[in-house]
Amino acid sequence: SHECTMTSRIETLTPKSVWESTKENVKELIPVWDADSQRMESKPLKSLEENRTPYLERGWCIGEISWSSLRYHNAQDQRIDCLGSNQVEPD
């Protein structure tokens, strides 16, 4: 981690109800890397493989948090989706 960078992270997953309704909308496309064509392609969500693994259980994400915490100022690593007292956990 570089001292002049800031890391912002979102740890909560997309609520299941939002995920399911977006999957049904074939007009809403997601840009993803396509290994076969070796380029970015827009694809409908339902054609992609769902990954509901929590953020803190993903290897790369753990690494990202660890690397970010090596900075002199740990405040440069912030979770930006913390739930407030009037919010509820997504379904």
Side-chain angles (χ1 to χ4, degrees), residues 1 4 8 19 36 42 55-56 61 63 65-66 71 74 79 84:
S1 294
C4 295
S8 300
W19 182 271
D36 293 334
S42 295
Y55 184 88
L56 294 175
C61 298
I65 291 171
S66 299
R71 293 190 187 104
N74 281 356
R79 179 178 177 181

Side-chain angles (χ1 to χ4, degrees), residues 39-56:
R39 62 185 175 97
M40 295 295 290
E41 289 189 4
S42 295
K43 299 185 177 194
L45 185 61
K46 70 179 185 177
S47 72
L48 305 176
E49 185 175 328
E50 183 176 356
N51 182 355
R52 303 295 293 173
T53 305
Y55 184 88
L56 294 175

Side-chain angles (χ1 to χ4, degrees), residues 28-82:
E28 188 161 347
L29 303 176
I30 313 294
V32 295
W33 177 256
D34 183 76
D36 293 334
S37 66
Q38 293 291 297
R39 62 185 175 97
M40 295 295 290
E41 289 189 4
S42 295
K43 299 185 177 194
L45 185 61
K46 70 179 185 177
S47 72
L48 305 176
E49 185 175 328
E50 183 176 356
N51 182 355
R52 303 295 293 173
T53 305
Y55 184 88
L56 294 175
E57 293 178 21
R58 296 176 184 217
W60 174 261
C61 298
I62 296 296
E64 188 174 70
I65 291 171
S66 299
W67 301 319
S68 292
S69 69
L70 294 173
R71 293 190 187 104
Y72 181 72
H73 298 287
N74 281 356
Q76 289 174 274
D77 172 37
Q78 297 287 315
R79 179 178 177 181
I80 60 173
D81 66 331
C82 293

